[in-house]
Amino acid sequence: MKAYVHVYLKRAVLDPQGKAIAHALHELGYKDVKAARQGKMIELDIADGLNKEQAEESIRKMCEDLLANTVIEDYSITLEAA
Amino acid sequence: MKAYVHVYLKRAVLDPQGKAIAHALHELGYKDVKAARQGKMIELDIADGLNKEQAEESIRKMCEDLLANTVIEDYSITLEAA
């Protein structure tokens, strides 16, 4: 089973990387971009023994333990059958 | 309009960051993770004047110009109405 974990800075947290992207796009002439934010996308390949609920619960723990810094970041989990 | 650009290493390209994540998860006891890969997720806030086709075309150009290194990376674009 594939799982996608999107880890992104909380709205209230300044995102200099996103600002740099928006600035660079403006310099290149893409004036329609009002703002940009950059996050991480982690793709996990999960063993097939787990059902969706177990997998999601396990991934949530992984996020809390390792994948996200929950002081400044939020995350969302998307599961996809293999 | 919000647009999400997922930039990820091509399958054939080694992803040391992903390997490090998988290794760390194993060390923490998450044995169900068979593999991990890490990519970038860029969230763009696009001015409302464009329709979906124009926005997608414009974002595709941004990816080719700046957001992705198409020698080693692929990208996918998801548009979401505001």
Side-chain angles (χ1 to χ4, degrees), chain B residues 40-59:
Chain B
K40 285 180 284 190
M41 183 63 112
I42 298 160
E43 181 189 320
L44 297 171
D45 200 355
I46 305 285
D48 291 328
L50 301 181
N51 66 31
K52 278 209 165 189
E53 288 70 32
Q54 289 169 326
E56 191 163 344
E57 180 57 30
S58 177
I59 293 165

Side-chain angles (χ1 to χ4, degrees), chain A residues 2 4 6 11 21 24-25 28 30 32-48 50 58 61-62 65-67, chain B residues 2 4 6 11 21 24-25 28 30 32-48 50 58 61-62 65-67:
Chain A
K2 290 257 184 230
Y4 296 89
H6 180 198
R11 292 287 149 199
I21 290 171
L25 287 172
L28 288 171
Y30 298 105
D32 291 318
V33 176
K34 292 194 287 184
R37 288 181 80 80
Q38 180 172 333
K40 285 181 283 190
M41 181 63 110
I42 298 161
E43 182 189 320
L44 297 171
D45 200 355
I46 305 285
D48 291 328
L50 300 182
S58 177
K61 285 205 195 102
M62 292 178 209
D65 282 355
L66 180 79
L67 301 179
Chain B
K2 289 259 185 229
Y4 294 89
H6 180 198
R11 292 287 149 200
I21 290 170
L25 288 171
L28 288 170
Y30 297 106
D32 292 318
V33 176
K34 292 194 288 184
R37 288 182 80 80
Q38 180 171 333
K40 285 180 284 190
M41 183 63 112
I42 298 160
E43 181 189 320
L44 297 171
D45 200 355
I46 305 285
D48 291 328
L50 301 181
S58 177
K61 285 204 193 104
M62 291 178 209
D65 283 354
L66 181 79
L67 301 178

Side-chain angles (χ1 to χ4, degrees), chain A residues 9 11 14 18 26 29-30 41 43 56 72 76-77 79-80:
Chain A
L9 285 169
R11 292 287 149 199
L14 190 71
H26 279 198
Y30 298 105
M41 181 63 110
E43 182 189 320
E56 191 164 345
I72 55 167
S76 68
I77 299 167
L79 289 168
E80 193 176 77

Side-chain angles (χ1 to χ4, degrees), chain A residues 63-79:
Chain A
C63 288
E64 299 288 333
D65 282 355
L66 180 79
L67 301 179
N69 173 357
T70 52
V71 177
I72 55 167
E73 291 173 326
D74 281 330
Y75 57 86
S76 68
I77 299 167
T78 312
L79 289 168

